Amino acid sequence: QVQLVESGGGLVQAGGSLRLSCAASGSIFRINDMGWYRQVPGMQRELVTTITSALITNYADSVKGRFTISRDNAKNTVYLQMNSLKPEDTAVYYCNADIQRPGSPRRYAYWGQGTQVTVSS
């Protein structure tokens, strides 16, 4: 069994910062890409940012220059530093990981439970 546990969401004023963390645990052989997505009620979940095991990053245009993704491979953890937050960043943020389990070549996508980020104007 594999779990992704997120932390760090909350309420912040516009212009403020938050840091999200997501730790993977359980039966893990290798973690490939990791990333963050967000979802507003009634809307589709959207990509925020991803990072490969080689630390290559990709960002949605809406967060470039404000958000930074990083990961600690030794801790199986991915982080999202969010600066200059805007009210439109308000959403539930989900972490995602592409994980290979021991004894199998297959890769599976796992999701965290989600953490609420609310930015007040």
Side-chain angles (χ1 to χ4, degrees):
Q1 193 71 302
V2 173
Q3 279 191 316
L4 300 184
V5 178
E6 302 161 1
S7 60
L11 172 64
V12 65
Q13 288 189 332
S17 298
L18 282 175
R19 188 185 193 221
L20 306 182
S21 299
C22 173
S25 63
S27 181
I28 297 170
F29 174 67
R30 179 184 292 122
I31 301 179
N32 300 295
D33 292 1
M34 302 184 83
W36 292 93
Y37 292 70
R38 65 187 181 188
Q39 189 169 22
V40 174
M43 303 290 286
Q44 285 193 335
R45 191 172 297 186
E46 66 174 5
L47 171 70
V48 177
T49 178
T50 60
I51 184 168
T52 70
S53 57
L55 307 183
I56 297 170
T57 60
N58 176 59
Y59 294 93
D61 288 343
S62 58
V63 307
K64 280 181 182 176
R66 301 188 298 120
F67 290 11
T68 303
I69 189 171
S70 61
R71 65 190 281 176
D72 184 334
N73 289 330
K75 296 182 178 179
N76 290 340
T77 299
V78 63
Y79 305 96
L80 181 63
Q81 178 66 43
M82 304 184 292
N83 298 328
S84 302
L85 281 160
K86 304 175 181 180
E88 51 263 43
D89 294 318
T90 296
V92 178
Y93 284 70
Y94 297 89
C95 70
N96 169 269
D98 178 343
I99 294 175
Q100 185 177 351
R101 299 183 64 181
S104 172
R106 293 191 64 179
R107 294 157 58 168
Y108 297 88
Y110 291 89
W111 293 90
Q113 79 282 4
T115 185
Q116 177 70 45
V117 171
T118 303
V119 184
S120 63
S121 59

